[in-house]
Amino acid sequence: MSEDEIKLYLLDILEDLNEKKISRKTAVNRLNQNKNLEKIIVNRNVCFCISDCYFMIKHLLEENITDIEIKYFIDCFRNKREYNLKEKNQLVLKELSV
């Protein structure tokens, strides 16, 4: 899988999650259905945006993942914003403090 294919795969999951078409559990299950994806993420030098998003989805049921974080990755994968870890973390912290 190329980085573009991975982004589309993740974006599909994120959009369905954001639109409440699927549950968080279903999102994690869909992510895990692609058996080679984790190997690609861990063993290949993919951009940090992809790996950060992959592990965010992987841990949806274990951590307090905000809707803002999900929407942030959607915007990144739709090329509406450039991924910036510091910016993402600031948005998430702001939402959690409300």
Side-chain angles (χ1 to χ4, degrees):
M1 277 181 105
S2 69
E3 283 193 5
D4 287 339
E5 291 170 322
I6 295 170
K7 286 179 182 180
L8 288 174
Y9 184 79
L10 297 174
L11 180 60
D12 187 48
I13 294 170
L14 293 170
E15 287 177 331
D16 284 352
L17 185 60
N18 186 52
E19 295 168 10
K20 311 293 187 220
K21 292 180 180 178
I22 60 172
S23 67
R24 288 177 175 232
K25 182 177 182 177
T26 300
V28 173
N29 288 340
R30 277 179 48 188
L31 184 74
N32 291 330
Q33 284 175 356
N34 189 327
K35 303 294 183 194
N36 293 322
L37 188 57
E38 186 169 2
K39 290 178 189 175
I40 293 169
I41 299 294
V42 173
N43 295 328
R44 203 188 311 154
N45 193 15
V46 296
C47 68
F48 188 67
C49 180
I50 289 174
S51 59
D52 191 17
C53 180
Y54 172 83
F55 287 107
M56 183 268 301
I57 296 171
K58 189 164 185 71
H59 297 285
L60 275 171
L61 301 175
E62 303 158 13
E63 297 182 17
N64 190 12
I65 307 297
T66 66
D67 290 341
I68 290 290
E69 188 169 1
I70 292 166
K71 290 174 186 170
Y72 184 86
F73 281 111
I74 290 171
D75 287 348
C76 290
F77 293 157
R78 287 183 181 160
N79 295 316
K80 292 184 177 180
R81 74 173 4 141
E82 190 170 324
Y83 177 81
N84 180 300
L85 179 61
K86 185 175 179 179
E87 175 189 43
K88 182 199 76 158
N89 288 341
Q90 287 174 341
L91 289 170
V92 170
L93 288 173
K94 184 177 178 182
E95 184 179 24
L96 289 173
S97 67
V98 173

